[in-house]
Each structure stands twice: as C-alpha cells, then as structure tokens.
C-alpha cells in the first residue's frame, strides 16, 4: 500500500514517482464516474476564470476622473459604463465559487463514505483525489490573484455607491437587474475576504463535517492530512525534484499542501498546529520556505492569516517562530 508507506516512512524515489504518475494519470473508475463528471464540468471552467481574473484591469482611471469631476455627467457615465461589465465579471467569479463549493462537497462525500478508511479512499479513488487537489490549486491561484488586485474592491464599491446614490434619487438603474441588492450584499461579503475562495471552501468543509454527525471528523481530517503529507514528501525529496518535475508541478504541490493545511485547521477541533496534529507543520513550513518561487510569501501569508489555530496556546514556539 503505497499511501500507507508515505504516511509511515519516507518513500523511495521510485515509489514516489510511481504514485505521482499514477495520480497524474488517474482515470476514473466506474464507481467514481458520476462524481468525477460533475466535478470535471466545474474544473473545465476554472482555467477560463483564472485567465479572466489575470487580465482584470479595473476601471481605476475612469472612477478617479468621475470622482474628481462630480458635475461632469459625461465622465460619470463613462465610469459607470466601464464598471458595469467588470461587475458582471465579478458576479461570474462569485457564482463560480458556489459551484466549486458544490463540487468540493461531492468530493468530500465520496472520499469519506463508509466503509472505507480515508487512506483506502485515496488509494481507490485516485482520480477524485486528483480533482480535489486541482480544486485547491485553483483556489489558491485565484486568491493569490485577487489579493494582488486592489481594483476589484475599488470597482465594486464604486458600483455600490453609485447604485445607492441613484436609489436615493429614486432612479432605477438597469444594471440592478443583473446584480440585485441581495446579490450585491453577498458578493461584497465574498470580496471582503482576503482569500475568498479558500474561505468558501473552508466554510463548506466545516459545514460538511457538522452536517454529517455520524461521520467521524477524523475521516475528513485524515484525508486532508494524508494529502498534506504526500505533497510535503514530494517537495522534500531532491531526487524527485530533479527527476520528475518542473516548476509548475512544484507550485501545484505547494498550493495543494497549503490548501489542505488550512482546511484541516478549520475543521479539526484542535487544528493543524497542535502537537497532536497529524500534519507535520514544522516540516511543511520548512519545505515551503526552501522553494525557489515567488509564490512562497503569499502561501506563508495564507498560513499566517487564514488559519484559525496558529495563535492558540497549544502552538509550539518553534512553529510560531518559523512563521514570524
Ligand atoms: C452527509 O450528509 C448528507 C446530507 O445530510 C448526506 O446526503 C450524505 O450522504 C452524508 N455523507 C456521509 C458520508 O455521511
Ligand atoms: C464563511 O462563514 C462565516 C461565518 O458563518 C461568514 O461570516 C462568511 O461570510 C463566510 N465566508 C464565505 C466566503 O462564505
């Protein structure tokens, strides 16, 4: 059992290579097909969403000009016309987060359903495990882009201010049909989060374990800690780095590792940083810091600011120091 090997000892390079190539090439078995198809339809859109977010430039200039010249109606209109299609984009991203949440739910259900233990699930359902990793990879990529793009919140608050000003003047704007007040409220909660996609997923995972009372929490958290372990070992093993990989794969592993740590920390009663945690946090943080990648700082920040238990008394000084 390859995964059990991972968990207990350091696997050899060959074992690692075998596991990774199996994971990357995993085809869904018959039992996995229904869930796999559902999640696959969502993941197919993920690329497009990331590309759209990457090229999101915002309407900063138009908004600035409109605010500086409040009596120039033409400039007001220009800013409004620039912002509306952007808000439609933001709405698409937000709606995608809801579909992603459903996809995650289906995967969690499949990967924790009785009678199998979490590790058996990951062995049996590698194609689903891979999709789970892809969801996390998308999530961390999305949040990284969102975090470095202040235009998003700027555009959206301009949009909301304009709407409410017009409402005071009893003018109904056409755009309200697209994003009504209730939708705008939900979107603004979403975009107010530093890492909105991850927050959506951690909320959904927490909800999943609280709704499934008969399912031991460990079934879910073991699934997460095993994935963290696989990623850590892949990043830690120099032979693996030279032999199999390119920077995209490493970045993939880094993001998935951080994603599962954060989910674990939100779901597990004592979290990921406690001594009893099944995640080797020291090892994970160390290996993350060793990676030659521009994304490291953002991922460390995700661990610093979006986990729940880092500042608990039970977190060791050493781990705290590593994250200082
Ligand atoms: C979790 O709860 C949902 C809805 O309550 C149910 O459909 C699903 O089968 C449960 N899953 C497990 C693994 O218990
Ligand atoms: C997550 O849940 C909290 C608490 O219920 C809520 O305040 C927050 O808006 C939710 N965030 C997202 C992105 O769903």
């Amino acid at each position: 059992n390859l995964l059990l090997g991972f968990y207990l000892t350091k696997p050899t390079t060959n074992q690692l290579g075998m596991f990774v190539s199996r994971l990357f090439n995993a085809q869904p078995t018959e039992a996995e097909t229904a869930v796999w198809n559902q999640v696959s339809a969502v993941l197919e859109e993920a690329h497009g969403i990331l590309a759209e977010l990457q090229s999101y430039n915002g309407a900063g200039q138009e908004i600035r000009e409109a605010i500086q010249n409040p009596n120039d109606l033409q400039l007001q209109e220009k800013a409004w016309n620039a912002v509306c299609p952007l808000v439609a984009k933001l709405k698409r991203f937000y709606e995608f987060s809801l579909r992603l949440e459903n996809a995650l739910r289906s995967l969690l259900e499949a990967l924790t359903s009785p009678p199998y233990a979490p590790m058996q699930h990951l062995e049996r359902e590698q194609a689903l495990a891979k999709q789970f990793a892809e969801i996390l990879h998308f999530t961390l990529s999305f949040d990284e882009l969102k975090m470095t793009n202040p235009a998003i919140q700027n555009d959206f608050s301009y949009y909301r201010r304009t709407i409410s000003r017009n409402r005071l003047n009893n003018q109904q704007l056409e755009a309200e049909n697209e994003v009504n007040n209730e939708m705008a409220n939900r979107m603004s909660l979403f975009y107010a989060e530093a890492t909105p996609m991850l927050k959506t997923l951690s909320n959904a995972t927490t909800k999943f374990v609280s709704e499934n009372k008969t399912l031991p929490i460990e079934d879910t958290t073991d699934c997460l800690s095993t994935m963290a372990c696989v990623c850590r070992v892949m990043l830690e093993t120099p032979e693996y780095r030279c032999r199999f990989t390119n920077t995209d794969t490493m970045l993939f592993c880094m993001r998935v590792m951080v994603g599962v740590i954060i989910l674990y920390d939100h779901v597990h009663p004592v979290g990921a940083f406690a001594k009893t945690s099944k995640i080797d946090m020291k090892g994970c943080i160390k290996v993350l810091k060793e990676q030659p990648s521009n994304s490291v700082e953002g991922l460390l920040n995700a661990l610093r600011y979006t986990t729940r238990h880092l500042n608990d008394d039970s977190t060791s000084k050493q781990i705290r120091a590593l994250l200082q």
Side-chain angles (χ1 to χ4, degrees):
N1 182 329
L2 220 45
L3 261 178
L4 199 60
F6 260 115
Y7 215 56
L8 301 177
T9 59
K10 254 182 124 96
T12 66
T13 309
N14 272 341
Q15 281 176 322
L16 199 54
M18 239 162 69
F19 180 78
V20 173
S21 64
R22 263 168 54 188
L23 195 61
F24 275 75
N25 297 315
Q27 293 301 315
T29 60
E30 212 173 305
E32 293 173 279
T33 303
V35 173
W36 193 88
N37 283 341
Q38 183 210 336
V39 177
S40 182
V42 178
L43 280 171
E44 266 166 29
E45 272 182 64
H47 267 299
I49 296 274
L50 280 187
E52 244 187 293
L53 180 58
Q54 191 133 37
S55 63
Y56 185 103
N57 283 324
Q61 167 112 22
E62 290 87 343
I63 291 174
R64 222 172 9 257
E65 284 174 355
I67 291 174
Q68 281 164 2
N69 304 284
N71 296 322
D72 187 330
L73 287 183
Q74 224 170 0
L75 286 178
Q76 307 307 310
E77 200 171 311
K78 195 170 158 212
W80 181 249
N81 288 336
V83 160
C84 281
L86 293 172
V87 169
K89 261 188 204 186
L90 296 180
K91 183 183 173 203
R92 270 203 301 285
F93 299 160
Y94 170 69
E95 285 173 337
F96 185 73
S97 80
L98 303 179
R99 301 184 50 211
L100 199 69
E101 180 181 338
N102 283 333
L104 179 84
R105 241 193 119 70
S106 304
L107 286 178
L108 284 175
E109 251 164 49
L111 290 170
T112 56
S113 68
Y116 301 109
M119 254 168 318
Q120 287 173 308
H121 272 296
L122 290 180
E123 275 282 338
R124 295 169 57 93
E125 283 135 6
Q126 297 198 1
L128 298 186
K130 184 182 165 205
Q131 287 185 318
F132 192 88
E134 282 169 349
I135 285 183
L136 288 169
H137 178 248
F138 164 81
T139 297
L140 278 276
S141 310
F142 182 96
D143 286 346
E144 204 175 304
L145 288 171
K146 187 266 173 183
M147 228 182 303
T148 50
N149 196 338
I152 290 175
Q153 265 172 296
N154 190 38
D155 294 344
F156 195 62
S157 43
Y158 178 78
Y159 175 84
R160 299 208 79 189
R161 283 200 308 275
T162 309
I163 295 248
S164 58
R165 199 169 50 234
N166 281 284
R167 199 174 288 128
L168 283 180
N169 299 336
N170 275 326
Q171 271 177 288
Q172 182 86 13
L173 288 171
E174 218 175 285
E176 279 194 80
N177 297 329
E178 170 102 31
V179 177
N180 64 24
N181 199 38
E182 195 225 327
M183 173 59 91
N185 284 337
R186 285 193 286 144
M187 282 170 65
S188 94
L189 286 178
F190 178 76
Y191 286 109
E193 305 275 5
T195 54
M197 282 291 171
L198 198 56
K199 191 72 191 178
T200 302
L201 295 195
S202 61
N203 277 4
T205 310
T206 307
K207 204 164 143 219
F208 174 79
V209 294
S210 68
E211 278 175 5
N212 288 267
K213 296 239 187 300
T214 55
L215 186 73
I217 285 186
E218 286 72 31
D219 282 19
T220 305
T221 53
D222 282 0
C223 167
L224 298 172
S225 57
T226 307
M227 288 182 71
C229 179
V230 171
C231 293
R232 176 177 57 75
V233 172
M234 275 163 50
L235 291 166
E236 271 174 358
T237 310
E239 306 92 297
Y240 173 78
R241 278 198 294 243
C242 318
R243 231 176 95 181
F244 303 101
T245 195
N246 55 44
T247 48
D248 280 352
T249 320
M250 300 323 271
L251 197 51
F252 183 86
C253 289
M254 287 158 62
R255 290 197 178 116
V256 174
M257 183 176 81
V258 169
V260 288
I261 289 171
I262 293 168
L263 292 188
Y264 183 102
D265 194 54
H266 277 259
V267 172
H268 196 282
V270 297
F273 298 95
K275 283 198 183 63
T276 51
S277 160
K278 288 202 180 156
I279 298 183
D280 170 8
M281 282 306 301
K282 246 180 286 174
C284 288
I285 297 168
K286 272 194 189 138
V287 76
L288 196 58
K289 286 179 142 181
E290 283 163 11
Q291 303 305 310
S293 161
N294 297 332
S295 298
V296 170
E297 202 47 39
L299 291 173
L300 288 172
N301 278 338
L303 290 178
R304 287 177 189 124
Y305 304 121
T306 62
T307 46
R308 275 178 66 190
H309 294 279
L310 175 60
N311 295 318
D312 289 4
D313 292 338
S314 55
T315 302
S316 77
K317 285 203 184 71
Q318 237 176 331
I319 291 180
R320 249 182 260 235
L322 275 172
L323 276 180
Q324 289 278 293

